[in-house]
Amino acid sequence: MIATHARIAARAALAAAVVGTASFGLFGSLTVANAGGDYGPDTCQEGYVWREANAADHVCVSPGTRDQARADNAAAASRRAGGGAYGPNTCVNGFVWREAYTGDVACVTTAVRQQAKDDNAAAAARKASLDIWLTTYTAGNKCTGDVCTAVSDAGAQFKINGDHFNNGTVTLIVNRNNGTRLATYSVKAGPHNGYAGASFGYQTNMWDPKSGFHEACTGGDDSYIQAYDPNSQRWSERLPFKHDCH
């Protein structure tokens, strides 16, 4: 899925953060991919479960909130007044419609209705959609021991970014379209302000062939990146990009 301009702008405005060898400062986004497979975009991050206020309700909530929804469903009939302004769905005094989904007229307390509203608003941030996207960065001098190499004028290198992951170590793979492995990286995903779920940014040693003093590139994307989230045992979708000039 291609990110909207609003989402790109929001990411560009975020402050920089550093996680081990991974670093943020996310700007100039190229493209974004979201996860597929398993429960797809409805997979919850660790610590959350589907609310299941009805069979199609996949909003991610705490286990206690799901238990509350089940209890409210079981008590629904006893909380109806049996007539009144809203007909057979009129609630007895002290109860209101839950409105967790369109048409949800289960009678609950006002606190439960507010919780449902808050959970609906937070739904997207609690999903393990495993979003990944590419940006570029320009490195300064790179040093190994006492030996430093100036690379600041050599063009931009790729940075792999992600959010909507679970906390923990994420494995990043870079393959050619024919499946040949180009690189494997490990990065620690964790909480960062402005990003949903656990997030990361990993500065690779892959050069952007379209930058610097490289010759003009032709042709389409020849490689892809994927991220593996071990907590959910899921792979992100493939994020295509151009690795070489042809």
Side-chain angles (χ1 to χ4, degrees), residues 37-70 73 98 100 119-120 123 126-129 234:
D38 296 324
Y39 298 102
D42 290 337
T43 301
C44 296
Q45 294 169 22
E46 189 174 24
Y48 294 99
V49 294
W50 289 347
R51 181 173 54 199
E52 298 179 338
N54 71 358
D57 181 19
H58 293 170
V59 170
C60 298
V61 300
S62 69
T65 298
R66 179 172 66 180
D67 291 343
Q68 182 68 54
R70 290 173 175 172
N73 287 350
R98 180 173 54 198
D119 287 328
N120 287 351
R126 295 172 177 174
K127 292 178 180 178
S129 51
R234 303 175 62 240

Side-chain angles (χ1 to χ4, degrees), residues 213-235:
F213 299 102
H214 297 278
E215 297 178 357
C217 288
T218 59
D221 296 325
D222 55 26
S223 304
Y224 65 88
I225 298 165
Q226 276 189 293
Y228 181 72
D229 176 45
N231 285 14
S232 62
Q233 300 182 347
R234 303 175 62 240
W235 285 94

Side-chain angles (χ1 to χ4, degrees), residues 19-157:
V19 186
T21 57
S23 63
F24 277 76
L26 308 178
F27 54 89
S29 180
L30 303 179
T31 186
V32 174
N34 291 337
D38 296 324
Y39 298 102
D42 290 337
T43 301
C44 296
Q45 294 169 22
E46 189 174 24
Y48 294 99
V49 294
W50 289 347
R51 181 173 54 199
E52 298 179 338
N54 71 358
D57 181 19
H58 293 170
V59 170
C60 298
V61 300
S62 69
T65 298
R66 179 172 66 180
D67 291 343
Q68 182 68 54
R70 290 173 175 172
D72 287 329
N73 287 350
S78 67
R79 296 172 177 173
R80 296 192 185 104
Y86 300 101
N89 292 320
T90 302
C91 297
V92 299
N93 220 20
F95 291 90
V96 294
W97 289 346
R98 180 173 54 198
E99 299 178 342
Y101 54 87
T102 302
D104 180 18
V105 294
C107 297
V108 300
T109 65
T110 55
V112 168
R113 178 168 69 179
Q114 184 60 49
Q115 182 67 55
K117 181 179 180 180
D118 293 344
D119 287 328
N120 287 351
R126 295 172 177 174
K127 292 178 180 178
S129 51
L130 310 189
D131 295 355
I132 57 174
W133 67 97
L134 274 177
T135 58
T136 58
Y137 73 99
T138 301
N141 290 351
K142 286 190 172 181
C143 300
T144 302
D146 295 329
V147 179
C148 295
T149 304
V151 296
S152 59
D153 61 349
Q157 292 172 276

Side-chain angles (χ1 to χ4, degrees), residues 41 48 55 97 129 161 175-177 184 188 200 213 217 244:
Y48 294 99
W97 289 346
S129 51
N161 311 282
N175 281 3
R176 295 194 188 279
N177 288 344
T184 302
K188 182 75 172 179
F200 61 85
F213 299 102
C217 288
D244 297 316

